[in-house]
Amino acid sequence: MIKTAITLLAISTSYLLLLATPTKNPAYYHSLFLSDSFSDNVSISNNLEILTHRPHIAGSEANNEAAAYVVSVLTSCNILSHVTSYDVSLTYPLSRSLVLTKSSSESESSSISFNLSQQVYEGDPYADVADEVVPTFHAYAKSGTVVGSVVYANYGRVEDYLKLKEIGINVSNTVVLAKYGKIFRGDIVRNAYEEGAIGVVIYSDRKDYGGGGGGSKWFPDEKWLPPSGVQVGSVYRGTGDPTTPGWASSDACERISKDEVEKSGDVPLIPSLPVSGEDGEKIIRSIGGPVAEDDWQGSKDAPTYRVGPGPGILNLSYTGQDVITRIQNVIGVIEGTEEPDRYVILGNHRDAWTFGAVDPNSGTATLLEVAQRLGKLQKRGWKPRRTIILCNWDAKEYGLIGSTEWVEENREILTSRAVAYLNVDCAVAGPGFYASATPQLDELIKKAIQKVKDPNNSSRSIYDSLTSSGSSPQFGRLGGGGSDYKAFLQHVGIPATDISFGEGYPVYHSLYDDFVWMKKFGDPMFQRHVAAASVWGLIALWLADEEFLPFNYVSYAKELKLNMKELESEISNKDINLSPMYKSIMELEKAATKINNQIKEIEESKNWRTWKMEHLKVREVNDRLMMAERAFTDRDGLSGLQWHKHLIYGPSKHNGYGSQSFPGIGDAVQMAKKLRTVESWRQVQHEVWRVARVIRHASLVLSGQLT
């Protein structure tokens, strides 16, 4: 008994000493993180210039050098870092050609062989390394040669082909010409294939990318894409290494064959090429047939756009090389002191099609800025409650490969330990703050942008600028596949955010996305980079340091109610019963309100005598908050997209960039409207039940009680 009493006294004395020890509140360090003395726009500029000195496509020596640079900066910040490598299937171009044959009469014809190269501009400081840029191509494009009359299909969307059918245009055995924009390029190719086309050429119309024509200037004089600019990119519709679907591409792993990859439906089955706006317009001039609708036309001084087919004929030839190549993810870890097994993860990718000043290295430079500030905080005595992990992904441009392989390899650990994933891709492309998130993080983003100055107007916050017109900030959702949050949220069910300044930019994925463009047009003073780092890092600090995870599932329930109104307007069949979903959303709202009240009760009842018991309560409540998002996933995944497990947010089947709420229901409704059968509408009802079940599962997780 005496020994026990002495032990208890020692524990109590130790705890009292701990309370008496002068420690700074986390809020002190969070304010310090935002201070002018901690932010450094010059360092950001220098890091970006170094990262973009050479083109660094995935699998290249230059990209490995960039990885080594990221490691060196993290290490200098006292952040333990390592490289995680994967051997993945990437593709590169071996040969490509495009010849246009124009015929004005049976006896007169001419041919144009397109150069397919982007031109450096006069005085280009990167001209000496421009030959390191990989020739323009589509990653994972089908190798082959096709010859056919040209049909102009606007943006190549499903609705564009419906318009062509309405005017009697059949695209079977033709080569489709489509404009970049609106949907993912891989879906442009897939949609053309499903309509019977034998090849696809995609170009950047100057109405969208070149300043609208009419004598406008372009880079380097203005921000617009030059006439010779070509947007390259991947046409792979899957996620991760195509040869290891669902598992990591580690050493000597199982791989499926090229034939099996093609049967998956994620790689194109017809060849395609990207071309410049200048070349696209030449092809447009070769097309006859009906005049396209007004909203299909180009800029004011462009030729009249007709839909064809022909009389212009395209001979398209492409040969690619499939290579198993090593990629390198850089992982930096700041271990938590109280909950080291809880992870707040920040991620950005490093690989670029060319120089990548906006996409992605504005994000990489911002990640390094966050790391440098966290390093300074550590020198001041700060230690996070939970572990912070900084990730710099490789081979994102090919199909989110680096992040996906890492998530697939660490899936079980992440499922049980990841608090949230905070993504930044293009941190800065121009003015204006944009954010997307899972709804329980909305309030956290709002709180962060209230603390951070608007880089365009330092007299007010980002939040004040967004609400100056009287409207509340609107955040997007993360159902699309545009960036590295996809594996975390849609495959595992980890709460996620994605933030940026600027929504789009005209030199995207081209030779001209370089440091000069950023310094002249994207962010001349690099203050937007500073603001992006402040928002990103502050959200991470709150998630890592707050005693209770700052998640608000009441916001989630409210968002689902709004989604239900949209869903009701989509469903024309009155026999579909949506009451199971309404009931489950009500249960979620009750559970979310209950856990919020429990947090308040614990905070109000705290004292040192019950510290151990309350500490366990905090942990248990946080586990419920952390795991609730997982409950929105279903092991069977979406119909036809089984890798995607999240039933609340997912991609559109015809646009990988597009985001849908209740994607399984949405796809089933579109199919039912097309088939108009009892069975197809029965499938809609089945999807309604599936969603209702996962929402109820989430409410049970939040309540923390067995039924």
Side-chain angles (χ1 to χ4, degrees), residues 75 78 169 176 628:
T75 302
N78 195 31
I169 303 301
V176 162

Side-chain angles (χ1 to χ4, degrees), residues 632-692:
F632 291 123
T633 64
D634 181 280
R635 65 172 63 92
D636 293 331
L638 298 176
S639 177
L641 296 168
Q642 282 77 14
W643 183 88
H644 300 76
K645 308 297 184 185
H646 208 284
L647 300 193
I648 307 301
Y649 297 113
S652 165
K653 277 191 175 178
H654 296 285
N655 178 17
Y657 285 161
S659 175
Q660 285 195 89
S661 302
F662 313 134
I665 300 174
D667 289 340
V669 168
Q670 293 306 312
M671 183 59 69
K673 287 180 177 180
K674 182 178 179 180
L675 298 178
R676 299 181 181 179
T677 63
V678 172
E679 182 56 38
S680 64
W681 283 107
R682 188 177 291 123
Q683 183 62 32
V684 173
Q685 186 66 66
H686 171 63
E687 293 294 337
V688 168
W689 278 111
R690 290 183 73 202
V691 173

Side-chain angles (χ1 to χ4, degrees), residues 430-681:
F433 177 79
Y434 296 87
S436 296
T438 45
Q440 75 274 56
L441 292 168
D442 283 358
E443 294 303 317
L444 198 62
I445 297 173
K446 288 179 184 177
K447 183 180 171 185
I449 61 178
Q450 287 171 351
K451 298 279 188 182
V452 178
K453 295 176 186 175
D454 183 340
N456 295 327
N457 185 348
S458 60
S459 66
R460 60 185 185 183
S461 69
I462 297 170
Y463 181 86
D464 291 337
S465 295
L466 291 176
T467 57
S468 59
S469 62
S471 59
S472 179
Q474 297 299 307
F475 302 140
R477 299 302 167 212
L478 296 171
S483 198
D484 291 298
Y485 54 76
K486 186 175 185 179
F488 290 89
L489 174 62
Q490 296 173 25
H491 189 58
V492 178
I494 296 168
T497 66
D498 186 60
I499 66 168
S500 68
F501 279 90
E503 198 170 24
Y505 66 109
V507 296
Y508 173 71
H509 281 195
S510 76
L511 179 69
Y512 311 104
D513 181 7
D514 63 16
F515 185 77
V516 175
W517 190 93
M518 177 62 75
K519 194 161 179 60
K520 290 187 73 171
F521 306 112
D523 192 10
M525 300 302 296
F526 288 85
Q527 291 300 332
R528 291 168 187 155
H529 285 77
V530 170
S534 296
V535 175
W536 196 10
L538 188 57
I539 293 170
L541 284 169
W542 284 336
L543 288 167
D545 288 342
E546 298 261 334
E547 186 173 31
F548 288 101
L549 293 177
F551 290 169
N552 186 355
Y553 279 92
V554 173
S555 296
Y556 217 126
K558 289 179 178 178
E559 178 76 7
L560 294 180
K561 286 181 179 178
L562 293 174
N563 296 153
M564 287 299 296
K565 291 181 180 179
E566 296 174 9
L567 182 60
E568 278 187 324
S569 66
E570 283 290 312
I571 295 179
S572 56
N573 189 324
K574 303 303 179 184
D575 294 331
I576 298 299
N577 179 16
L578 295 177
S579 60
M581 287 178 64
Y582 278 114
K583 182 180 178 182
S584 64
I585 293 170
M586 287 179 60
E587 291 176 0
L588 179 68
E589 190 170 34
K590 288 178 182 177
T593 302
K594 183 179 177 180
I595 197 169
N596 287 351
N597 291 334
Q598 287 175 333
I599 291 170
K600 290 178 183 177
E601 289 173 9
I602 295 171
E603 288 177 330
E604 291 170 359
S605 66
K606 278 183 183 176
N607 61 73
W608 74 268
R609 297 177 191 277
T610 60
W611 174 80
K612 184 175 181 180
M613 183 180 69
E614 299 298 348
H615 180 74
L616 293 174
K617 280 186 179 179
V618 170
R619 174 78 170 192
E620 189 267 341
V621 167
N622 281 338
D623 283 353
R624 286 150 56 191
L625 290 166
M626 182 181 75
M627 298 303 292
E629 188 73 46
R630 316 283 197 273
F632 291 123
T633 64
D634 181 280
R635 65 172 63 92
D636 293 331
L638 298 176
S639 177
L641 296 168
Q642 282 77 14
W643 183 88
H644 300 76
K645 308 297 184 185
H646 208 284
L647 300 193
I648 307 301
Y649 297 113
S652 165
K653 277 191 175 178
H654 296 285
N655 178 17
Y657 285 161
S659 175
Q660 285 195 89
S661 302
F662 313 134
I665 300 174
D667 289 340
V669 168
Q670 293 306 312
M671 183 59 69
K673 287 180 177 180
K674 182 178 179 180
L675 298 178
R676 299 181 181 179
T677 63
V678 172
E679 182 56 38
S680 64
W681 283 107

Side-chain angles (χ1 to χ4, degrees), residues 329-492:
N329 292 335
V330 178
I331 311 294
V333 180
I334 305 174
E335 189 169 354
T337 54
E338 295 179 54
E339 298 183 77
D341 61 335
R342 292 293 177 260
Y343 305 150
V344 176
I345 306 170
L346 292 77
N348 152 267
H349 77 97
R350 180 185 67 258
D351 65 296
W353 290 117
T354 58
F355 297 99
V358 175
D359 184 9
N361 298 126
S362 63
T364 312
T366 302
L367 182 72
L368 296 181
E369 165 71 4
V370 171
Q372 288 169 326
R373 292 197 210 176
L374 295 180
K376 292 175 184 177
L377 285 184
Q378 289 186 91
K379 288 182 179 179
R380 298 288 186 95
W382 167 81
K383 294 180 180 179
R385 177 189 181 99
R386 303 178 185 92
T387 295
I388 294 176
I389 303 176
L390 307 174
C391 303
N392 187 226
W393 310 117
D394 201 348
K396 176 269 178 184
E397 294 294 359
Y398 275 81
L400 314 178
I401 292 178
S403 59
T404 299
E405 300 311 306
W406 191 78
V407 169
E408 289 177 344
E409 184 166 53
N410 297 286
R411 177 169 44 220
E412 305 311 320
I413 296 176
L414 292 171
T415 298
S416 62
R417 298 184 180 184
V419 169
Y421 174 69
L422 313 177
N423 190 67
V424 168
D425 196 321
C426 304
V428 179
F433 177 79
Y434 296 87
S436 296
T438 45
Q440 75 274 56
L441 292 168
D442 283 358
E443 294 303 317
L444 198 62
I445 297 173
K446 288 179 184 177
K447 183 180 171 185
I449 61 178
Q450 287 171 351
K451 298 279 188 182
V452 178
K453 295 176 186 175
D454 183 340
N456 295 327
N457 185 348
S458 60
S459 66
R460 60 185 185 183
S461 69
I462 297 170
Y463 181 86
D464 291 337
S465 295
L466 291 176
T467 57
S468 59
S469 62
S471 59
S472 179
Q474 297 299 307
F475 302 140
R477 299 302 167 212
L478 296 171
S483 198
D484 291 298
Y485 54 76
K486 186 175 185 179
F488 290 89
L489 174 62
Q490 296 173 25
H491 189 58
V492 178

